[in-house]
Amino acid sequence: MTSFQYMCGTQIDFGVGAIERLPEQLQAAGFGRKLMVVTDPGLMEAGIAKQVIHHLNLHGYAITLFHQVQPNPRDTDCLAGAEQFRTRWCDGVLAVGGGSAMDTAKTIALLARHGGTPSAYADGERAYGEAAPIACVPTTAGTGSEVTRSAVITEDATHRKVTLKHEWLRPNLAILDPALTTTVPPHVTAATGVDALVHAIEGYTCKKTQPISQAFGARAMGLIVRALPTAYRNPADIDARQDMLLGSLLAGLCFGSADVAAVHCLAEALGGLYDTPHGLANAVFLLPVLRYNAQAHVDLHAEVARLTEFATEDDPPTKAIEKLLSGMQAWLHELDIPPLSSLPRVSRDDSDKIVELAVANNSTPSNVREIDADGYRAILDETFAVNAI
Ligand SMILES: [Fe+2]
């Protein structure tokens, strides 16, 4: 018997030039005229955020700017943003940026209305309530946060990453314009793109998956595997950028109503401890976790092998998995993903801490194969032993 629920109430406008429709889409979605734009210093410097703000000013929007978003976004910034939102009488947030800007904006929208700290919600100490209206303009293809109900925030004081998850955090509006992603540097394109693939694979295979998530994940895998090397090599290739933005959107719709799993649990431990960019942290663990999971779930991973197009329908399951692992390794190599041991600040001496954080992650029980501290330790040892991907 199949039984499942699927939710996604986000209004989506996708396509080259979609950013031009932002003012009318905000109006149609019921946003007020006092918006807080949440972005990061890099996008301010690149001029993208300024362009969007200028466009909104011309259409009568009063903008409060919050532009200090950091990678692995901080609870302290969310609290400062919420305070600014209240004192400036804003009535909605607009994130312009990648996952960090979107997760910060979502959390600000919640805290501004209901107070408390991000951890209080994530730890179940405070009840969620309706957030202020949330709109997202993603500028990278990776996170899928523009359609998900979660936000991952790092506690500044402890470096612990906490995940806020509730329907009230799901954006009301997402404007996806592939043209906004053409200036993303190649190494960021690669890392965020691998994050999107991991969303599709983990959303498709995890214990919380269901048919609608699997349908989105199945389509996302092929799109991302095909388009990412082209977007990496030729940043201005608008077709590849479009496929990547579509792939990351579909991957968001996949895992957003299922879960992520062991790759993310290890990646979030790394991000919390060392500020490793989220996509890069996922990329270094993808292959060893696939190997660990595929041993116990052969048919499921043979499906993944075919959907990622590393194997064909004619390959028997064990052959398909061999092709998945070798094909994925070559694909990651093409994207110049560095090995774990070469990442800044990462130390093997911290293995106990990384394992402890991964085990404590709320998504650990969702991994398709049971995993405990010993399982994570084995994966971590294997990953540290690799000198080149
Ligand atoms: Fe992710």
Side-chain angles (χ1 to χ4, degrees):
M1 293 289 283
T2 301
S3 169
F4 63 89
Q5 295 182 337
Y6 189 87
M7 286 280 288
C8 183
T10 306
Q11 186 178 322
I12 297 165
D13 188 343
F14 183 102
V16 173
I19 193 65
E20 298 298 325
R21 296 188 287 275
L22 176 60
E24 68 196 71
Q25 292 288 23
L26 284 167
Q27 195 174 6
F31 280 72
R33 294 273 162 174
K34 287 182 171 177
L35 285 180
M36 171 178 268
V37 169
V38 178
T39 188
D40 62 53
L43 281 160
M44 287 304 291
E45 209 168 294
I48 293 176
K50 278 182 192 155
Q51 270 175 29
V52 172
I53 291 167
H54 181 64
H55 191 47
L56 288 171
N57 285 151
L58 289 177
H59 285 79
Y61 285 85
I63 304 297
T64 293
L65 182 60
F66 184 87
H67 60 86
Q68 60 260 49
V69 171
Q70 306 176 52
N72 294 309
R74 307 311 156 108
D75 56 350
T76 44
D77 286 335
C78 296
L79 289 164
E83 179 61 22
Q84 201 178 336
F85 184 103
R86 281 189 295 260
T87 56
R88 302 294 289 268
W89 298 94
C90 297
D91 44 34
V93 293
L94 169 68
V96 180
S100 300
M102 292 192 269
D103 286 3
T104 301
K106 288 162 139 184
T107 309
I108 288 174
L110 175 71
L111 300 184
R113 288 272 176 91
H114 301 283
T117 62
S119 304
Y121 294 94
D123 294 340
E125 292 161 5
R126 202 174 179 99
Y128 288 89
E130 184 172 5
I134 303 162
C136 290
V137 177
T139 57
T140 59
T143 164
S145 190
E146 67 274 10
V147 289
T148 71
R149 62 186 160 161
S150 54
V152 183
I153 302 296
T154 302
E155 288 177 344
D156 218 4
T158 65
H159 297 279
R160 183 173 72 116
K161 279 200 171 221
V162 299
T163 301
L164 291 83
K165 195 183 274 190
H166 197 279
E167 275 308 315
W168 290 126
L169 292 175
R170 196 170 321 255
N172 307 73
L173 176 65
I175 305 285
L176 294 101
D177 189 333
L180 296 182
T181 67
T182 55
T183 53
V184 177
H187 71 283
V188 178
T189 298
T192 52
V194 176
D195 182 34
L197 180 64
V198 177
H199 292 157
I201 292 175
E202 297 208 302
Y204 186 96
T205 58
C206 76
K207 283 185 183 162
K208 288 188 179 166
T209 198
Q210 31 86 1
I212 296 180
S213 283
Q214 288 201 316
F216 284 125
R219 176 95 163 96
M221 284 185 225
L223 274 170
I224 295 166
V225 168
R226 259 179 276 127
L228 186 53
T230 307
Y232 177 62
R233 281 192 310 272
N234 306 315
D237 187 315
I238 195 69
D239 291 332
R241 292 293 192 177
Q242 179 168 290
D243 284 353
M244 278 309 300
L245 198 57
L246 180 56
S248 71
L249 168 67
L250 296 177
L253 292 167
C254 167
F255 89 93
S257 289
D259 202 357
V260 286
V263 180
H264 269 79
C265 297
L266 285 162
E268 287 173 11
L270 226 56
L273 285 172
Y274 309 114
D275 253 348
T276 309
H278 177 69
L280 196 53
N282 271 288
V284 296
F285 291 118
L286 173 56
L287 205 52
V289 171
L290 271 180
R291 202 172 283 128
Y292 175 88
N293 284 340
Q295 281 169 13
H297 296 271
V298 174
D299 289 342
L300 180 64
H301 286 80
E303 276 174 42
V304 171
R306 293 178 198 117
L307 292 167
T308 47
E309 300 173 6
F310 290 120
T312 67
E313 292 297 327
D314 298 334
D315 292 313
T318 49
K319 182 73 185 167
I321 288 171
E322 272 175 38
K323 286 186 167 181
L324 170 66
L325 298 174
S326 61
M328 189 69 81
Q329 184 167 11
W331 187 78
L332 292 167
H333 181 76
E334 201 179 342
L335 297 168
D336 297 318
I337 299 299
L340 173 64
S341 53
S342 75
L343 297 182
R345 296 182 295 281
V346 174
S347 166
R348 199 167 184 164
D349 295 343
D350 295 333
S351 291
D352 288 347
K353 188 71 192 158
I354 297 171
V355 167
E356 187 188 319
L357 287 167
V359 169
N361 194 298
N362 287 339
S363 294
T364 281
S366 295
N367 195 59
V368 64
R369 180 178 174 187
E370 292 292 322
I371 187 161
D372 57 11
D374 291 340
Y376 277 125
R377 166 73 69 172
I379 289 171
L380 199 54
D381 287 345
E382 184 189 332
T383 315
F384 268 120
V386 170
N387 292 320
I389 290 181

